């Protein structure tokens, strides 16, 4: 056969497979508002950067007439490419081929690219769009899932792993995304659950739509399973690309440096925080007044809004931010916000990203539901994550830092490297009202004017203790700074922390309270 | 901060903080101590068999109902000596976790 003919033969073979499940199935996919797996990869990666592998892989199942069925590429596309020049390994399940169902060869393609990503120390992106296990392949299909979960776990903390849910992801399949670092969902397209509406109806008689059970909003607002919520696939891809610019390619590196830029003047750091510690403000404005170009990339924006997490850059270096949000639930720590913050702190620590913590919280949320939901165990995660983290830890106490909340929020005592406080900081064992009521209980009760006496004692307490200077006099705070000096102090601190090295006692692994 | 923000107050250590109140906090159920006379479904499932009648005397450890749940037949046992006051479900009913099944007295 002449060479040209052989090349033509390859081209023809490719063309056939590139159609996936065929035109009808593609039309169906589009009717659901979804792109095809291949279109998704092309939209996400740099132009012409995608190298595909295992195009010709086919299943060899025999039972249930499967031997008569050809499934192009076995319903999943794998390969590698770049995003803004960063190398990434990627797989995308093809719903047009047997509903993207996972059989043995399908799973082997996924684990092949996962092994590749780990070996080459590059980020892995998985696009999930699958009806679940390929029932005809029985236990082989379960084996496939298990092999994926194992690799997710082993790769965790070594390479960034991103999961993109662009269709159904149900049953056991949900545990791969759940084991990865960041989960992206799109409104009306993503569906994740362990047991679907059908089963719930049969077993419990409860009727619920897929969207209300495990749609994108549910996972972004209620369960906390998803980290990024988008209204369209396009917006979702923009989020992924942006995230990739903030994170390093593996745990042996630091994130890429970018050209530094000053914060925008409209974020006037002197005017954001009200003096009265009971009044709210949006702490994200403080972050925007500090970071390069006022560009703050928030993570889990809709979940446990009383704590804010996300990335920004300080002098071109990626930095993780953790901040109490007085605008939401007074910025208290509770079960959900502790969980959210702790996981993010560990992410930053695993990937060499310095952490800046902005503190303004009245303490923990009181309530039977919180206590019974395990706020002790969940709250402990924050202490654990901060104490264990060896990346540079910088803390700025903006206003309130009361009680256990003060300790938990990256205090000196958990080995913060630098602790700064604004003059408005109130570092105390509790708020002035509560403290005065306890310390001066006798004086207040025995006074002919208890209310007047209470007010007087609250004022006394405020003057004496509700300030940063008591903590500063003990060296728990390194410097009391003007708000306008914050960026300068933080940038310098990050610079001098560049080669931070903290020896830790040898252990196999710790036992974080999860 | 949006001017149209709906702000409420949250009491932490007797200080009132002006802030947004989350749906989760607003919708939380006030705590009620468990009443041993009210028997709740401990698992979601289907009522397969009712083994007692209203007015019947029952003793601790006696089987009251069989719930078909999670592919198992689960016996619901009596937690005190007493009398069946009323039965709140029928054979074949699907019940969710926490549904009142019967009352003792």
């Amino acid at each position: 056969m002449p060479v040209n003919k052989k090349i033509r033969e390859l081209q023809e073979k490719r063309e056939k497979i590139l159609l996936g499940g065929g035109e009808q199935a593609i039309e169906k996919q589009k009717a659901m508002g979804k792109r095809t797996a291949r279109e998704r990869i092309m939209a996400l990666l740099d132009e012409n950067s995608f190298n595909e592998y295992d195009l010709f892989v086919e299943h060899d199942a025999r039972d249930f007439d499967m031997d008569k069925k050809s499934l192009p590429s076995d319903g999943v596309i794998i390969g590698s490419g770049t995003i803004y020049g960063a190398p990434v390994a990627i797989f995308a399940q093809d719903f047009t081929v047997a509903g993207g169902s996972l059989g043995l060869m399908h799973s082997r393609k996924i684990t092949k690219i996962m092994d590749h990503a780990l070996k080459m120390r590059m980020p892995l992106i998985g696009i999930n769009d699958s009806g679940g296990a390929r029932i005809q392949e029985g236990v082989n299909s379960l084996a496939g899932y298990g092999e994926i979960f194992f690799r997710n776990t082993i790769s965790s903390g070594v390479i960034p792993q991103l999961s993109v849910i662009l269709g159904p992801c149900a049953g056991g399949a949900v545990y791969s995304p759940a084991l990865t670092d960041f989960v992206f969902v799109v409104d009306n397209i993503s569906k994740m659950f362990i047991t679907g509406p059908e089963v719930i109806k049969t077993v419990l008689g409860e009727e619920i739509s897929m969207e209300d059970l495990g749609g994108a909003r549910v996972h972004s607002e209620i369960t906390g399973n998803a980290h990024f919520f988008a209204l369209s696939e396009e917006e979702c891809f923009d989020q992924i690309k942006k995230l990739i610019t903030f994170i390093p390619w593996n745990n042996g590196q630091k994130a890429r440096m970018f050209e530094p830029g000053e914060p925008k003047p409209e974020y006037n750091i002197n005017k954001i925080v009200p003096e009265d510690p009971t009044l709210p403000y949006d702490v994200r404005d403080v972050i925007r007044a500090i970071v390069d170009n006022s560009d703050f990339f928030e993570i889990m924006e809709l979940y446990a809004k009383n704590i804010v997490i996300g990335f920004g850059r300080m002098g071109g270096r990626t930095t993780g931010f953790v901040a109490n949000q007085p605008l939401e639930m007074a910025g208290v720590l509770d079960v959900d916000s502790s969980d959210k913050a702790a996981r993010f702190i560990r992410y930053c620590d695993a990937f060499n990203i310095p952490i800046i913590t902005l503190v303004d919280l009245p303490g923990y949320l009181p309530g039977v539901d919180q206590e019974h939901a395990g706020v002790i165990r969940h709250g402990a995660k924050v202490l654990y994550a901060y104490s264990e983290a060896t990346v540079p830890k910088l803390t700025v106490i903006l206003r309130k830092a009361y009680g256990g909340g003060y300790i938990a929020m990256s205090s000196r005592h958990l080995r913060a490297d630098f602790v700064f406080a604004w003059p408005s900081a109130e570092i105390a064992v509790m708020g002035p009202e509560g403290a005065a009521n306890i310390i001066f209980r006798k004086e207040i009760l025995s006074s002919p004017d208890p209310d007047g006496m209470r007010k007087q004692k609250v004022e006394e307490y405020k003057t004496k203790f509700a300030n940063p200077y008591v903590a500063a006099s003990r060296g728990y705070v390194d410097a009391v700074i003007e708000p306008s000096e914050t960026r300068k102090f933080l940038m310098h601190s990050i610079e001098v922390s560049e080669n931070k090295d903290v020896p830790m006692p040898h252990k196999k692994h710790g036992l974080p309270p999860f | 901060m949006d001017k149209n923000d709906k702000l409420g107050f949250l009491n932490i250590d007797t200080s009132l903080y002006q802030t947004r109140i989350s749906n989760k906090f607003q919708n939380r159920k006030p705590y009620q101590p468990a009443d041993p006379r009210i028997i709740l479904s401990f698992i979601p499932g289907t009522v397969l068999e009712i083994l007692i009648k209203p007015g019947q005397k029952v003793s601790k450890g006696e089987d009251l109902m069989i719930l078909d749940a999670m592919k198992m037949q689960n016996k619901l046992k009596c937690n005190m000596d007493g009398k069946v006051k009323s039965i709140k479900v029928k054979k074949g009913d699907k019940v969710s976790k926490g549904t009142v099944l019967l009352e003792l007295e």
Side-chain angles (χ1 to χ4, degrees):
Chain A
M1 210 164 17
V3 172
N4 280 348
K5 209 175 160 198
K6 287 199 170 181
I7 292 175
R8 223 173 18 251
E9 189 189 23
L10 167 66
Q11 288 170 340
E12 278 163 16
K13 272 177 186 276
R14 269 187 184 164
E15 249 168 62
K16 208 175 148 206
I17 298 173
L18 290 182
L19 258 180
E23 277 164 18
Q24 257 187 327
I26 292 176
E27 255 173 58
K28 257 188 165 173
Q29 175 88 349
K30 303 250 167 169
M32 289 187 276
K34 290 160 44 169
R35 297 182 201 208
T36 66
R38 208 166 289 279
E39 285 170 345
R40 285 166 173 168
I41 291 177
M42 297 310 158
L44 189 55
L45 300 185
D46 295 338
E47 218 178 326
N48 290 325
S49 76
F50 183 55
N51 277 17
E52 181 167 353
Y53 317 122
D54 282 359
L55 184 73
F56 298 115
V57 160
E58 282 180 37
H59 73 86
D60 58 358
R62 299 184 185 285
D63 299 325
F64 309 106
D65 285 341
M66 283 300 284
D67 45 347
K68 293 178 193 125
K69 267 190 196 157
S70 159
L71 303 177
S73 280
D74 213 40
V76 63
I77 300 167
I78 65 165
S80 51
T82 60
I83 291 178
Y84 294 133
V88 293
I90 190 165
F91 71 83
Q93 292 179 307
D94 186 349
F95 197 79
T96 68
V97 178
S101 61
L102 184 136
L104 182 66
M105 292 315 287
H106 180 120
S107 73
R108 281 205 182 146
K109 285 182 69 174
I110 293 177
T111 53
K112 183 180 194 175
I113 202 67
M114 292 177 84
D115 289 340
H116 184 71
L118 180 62
K119 184 166 62 182
M120 303 306 176
R121 295 290 193 266
M122 63 165 144
L124 173 77
I125 300 176
I127 300 180
N128 294 258
D129 186 3
S130 163
R134 196 174 295 157
I135 313 288
Q136 294 89 336
E137 295 199 27
V139 73
N140 276 330
S141 166
L142 301 182
Y145 282 118
E147 294 288 337
I148 294 170
F149 304 158
F150 175 79
R151 283 166 178 80
N152 284 136
T153 308
I154 296 306
S155 305
S156 177
V158 182
I159 51 169
Q161 298 184 82
L162 281 53
S163 294
V164 195
I165 315 299
L166 295 180
C169 178
V174 296
Y175 284 117
S176 173
L179 288 165
T180 61
D181 308 337
F182 296 108
V183 177
F184 295 77
V185 291
V186 177
D187 204 18
N188 292 317
I189 290 180
S190 315
K191 318 266 187 278
M192 287 176 89
F193 35 73
I194 298 280
T195 50
E198 291 282 316
V199 176
I200 291 181
K201 197 180 165 190
T202 324
V203 178
L204 310 171
E206 291 172 4
E207 276 195 56
I208 187 164
S209 69
M210 268 198 203
E211 203 58 35
D212 288 348
L213 178 65
R217 272 190 194 280
V218 170
H219 288 304
S220 307
E221 292 174 5
I222 299 173
T223 68
N225 287 329
H227 301 82
F228 293 95
F229 172 85
L231 293 170
S232 65
E233 293 194 10
E234 201 179 353
E235 189 189 352
C236 172
F237 295 151
D238 286 342
Q239 291 170 338
I240 297 169
K241 289 181 200 172
K242 185 154 187 184
L243 178 68
I244 288 287
T245 69
F246 278 106
I247 58 180
W249 302 347
N250 59 58
N251 67 338
Q253 297 184 348
K254 289 186 177 175
R256 276 180 291 178
M257 288 280 287
F258 277 68
E259 197 61 38
E262 286 300 306
K264 293 178 184 161
E266 68 239 46
Y267 296 102
N268 183 345
I269 199 160
N270 288 313
K271 293 196 170 156
I272 299 168
V273 181
E275 204 177 320
D276 181 343
T278 66
L279 293 183
Y281 63 93
D282 190 341
V283 76
R284 291 174 296 190
D285 289 342
V286 178
I287 300 175
R288 291 184 189 111
I290 296 173
V291 292
D292 287 7
N293 306 309
S294 298
D295 184 11
F296 175 55
F297 187 51
E298 190 172 355
I299 299 168
M300 296 181 96
E301 200 178 336
L302 303 172
Y303 180 75
K305 294 192 257 185
N306 36 333
I307 206 150
V308 169
I309 57 171
F311 294 122
R313 291 192 183 90
M314 298 294 288
R317 286 181 179 83
T318 294
T319 308
F321 280 86
V322 179
N324 307 118
Q325 172 61 290
L327 182 57
E328 304 281 348
M329 295 296 288
V332 289
L333 279 174
D334 58 4
V335 168
D336 292 345
S337 62
S338 297
D339 204 66
K340 173 177 167 181
R343 179 117 197 254
F344 180 66
I345 293 160
R346 298 195 91 209
Y347 185 86
C348 293
D349 188 45
F351 289 101
N352 314 311
I353 298 170
I355 302 163
I356 291 179
T357 305
L358 304 181
V359 187
D360 188 350
L361 84 164
Y364 288 81
L365 181 64
V368 178
D369 55 332
Q370 282 295 311
E371 298 294 339
H372 287 187
V375 68
I376 296 176
R377 178 164 56 91
H378 294 287
K381 292 177 186 174
V382 178
L383 300 168
Y384 196 105
Y386 270 126
S387 300
E388 170 196 51
T390 56
V391 290
K393 294 180 281 192
L394 288 54
T395 308
V396 185
I397 301 172
L398 309 178
R399 217 170 43 169
K400 306 173 296 295
Y402 297 152
Y406 156 72
I407 308 169
M409 293 305 294
S410 194
S411 64
R412 161 62 23 85
H413 325 296
L414 306 185
R415 297 298 176 272
D417 298 297
F418 298 95
V419 181
F420 305 117
W422 286 4
S424 47
E426 295 186 2
I427 305 166
V429 74
M430 65 200 300
E433 281 79 10
N437 276 334
I438 294 170
I439 299 171
F440 305 111
R441 191 164 171 267
K442 272 188 198 154
E443 285 97 321
I444 292 170
L445 285 179
S446 60
S447 160
D449 173 18
D451 278 346
M453 180 57 96
R454 181 178 295 117
K455 267 183 200 155
Q456 187 196 320
K457 290 296 178 190
V458 166
E459 279 313 309
E460 238 179 83
Y461 186 88
K462 267 187 191 168
T463 327
K464 257 192 169 161
F465 299 104
N467 61 55
Y469 300 106
V470 183
S473 76
R474 292 272 167 252
Y476 302 151
V477 165
D478 297 309
V480 182
I481 59 172
E482 290 179 37
S484 60
E485 295 173 307
T486 310
R487 182 169 154 89
K488 190 192 96 180
F489 269 87
L490 290 174
M491 295 243 285
H492 176 75
S493 308
I494 289 180
E495 252 176 63
V496 300
S497 309
E498 184 74 26
N499 298 313
K500 181 183 173 186
D501 188 12
V502 200
M504 296 287 262
H506 171 76
K507 56 176 138 180
K508 186 172 175 194
H509 56 68
L511 294 163
F514 58 54
Chain B
M1 236 168 82
D2 192 338
K3 288 242 157 54
N4 301 318
D5 274 338
K6 272 193 192 158
L7 297 173
F9 287 94
L10 191 64
N11 187 334
I12 308 283
D13 286 335
T14 67
S15 288
L16 283 181
Y17 294 93
Q18 194 185 31
T19 187
R20 283 186 197 148
I21 306 294
S22 70
N23 291 337
K24 191 173 176 177
F25 188 76
Q26 270 166 345
N27 299 334
R28 75 196 190 286
K29 284 187 193 142
Y31 174 70
Q32 279 184 322
D35 184 340
R37 289 167 304 177
I38 297 174
I39 311 291
L40 305 174
S41 163
F42 61 95
I43 198 170
T46 310
V47 178
L48 202 66
E49 212 68 66
I50 299 176
L51 306 167
I52 35 86
K53 291 196 178 78
Q56 184 179 328
K57 276 196 174 164
V58 288
S59 49
K60 193 172 174 175
E62 197 175 329
D63 294 341
L64 300 172
M65 283 187 191
I66 299 175
L67 278 181
D68 184 55
M70 301 308 290
K71 300 164 188 137
M72 301 269 286
Q73 292 188 10
N74 304 277
K75 281 180 184 163
L76 187 76
K77 293 201 181 283
C78 193
N79 55 353
M80 59 181 265
D81 293 335
K83 211 165 93 180
V84 178
K85 190 176 169 194
S86 59
I87 299 173
K88 306 286 187 191
V89 289
K90 300 186 303 293
K91 192 175 162 176
D93 277 359
K94 280 176 182 156
V95 294
S96 47
K97 191 180 167 184
T99 309
V100 177
L101 300 175
L102 62 128
E103 267 185 64
L104 302 174
E105 59 184 354

